[in-house]
Amino acid sequence: MSYTVLFKPSAEREFEALPPNIQARLAPHLRALEQNPRPPGAKKLKARPGYRFRVGEYRVIYAVDDRDRIVRILAIGHRRDIYR
């Protein structure tokens, strides 16, 4: 069964603010979370609940709800800014 990927409103704004070429690089990875919410390379966060994966210099932070089969995108941004 697949998961539903939902964006936190602030994460959606962060995604839309990215340059189109970066959006195009991130989009397939975000869609892939529907089939596998913990892909190879995803790391469990230590400082807060959730996971992160990277695409080049950009990071996507997200949480997985296995009971409801939902992946919530919490933040998207450049690696220098994302953890602040």
Side-chain angles (χ1 to χ4, degrees), residues 37-49:
R38 294 174 189 90
K43 301 215 178 202
K44 185 150 178 43
L45 297 176
K46 295 178 182 173
R48 60 180 173 178

Side-chain angles (χ1 to χ4, degrees), residues 12-66:
E12 190 169 5
R13 286 190 301 272
E14 291 167 349
F15 181 76
E16 291 171 357
L18 294 172
N21 63 325
I22 301 300
Q23 287 181 13
R25 286 177 53 200
L26 287 172
H29 296 280
L30 295 171
R31 281 192 296 272
L33 291 175
E34 293 175 347
Q35 299 304 317
N36 183 6
R38 294 174 189 90
K43 301 215 178 202
K44 185 150 178 43
L45 297 176
K46 295 178 182 173
R48 60 180 173 178
Y51 295 85
R52 70 115 171 121
F53 69 85
R54 66 187 193 104
V55 177
E57 300 268 314
Y58 288 84
R59 305 294 186 264
V60 177
I61 296 176
Y62 64 98
V64 179
D65 181 352
D66 288 314

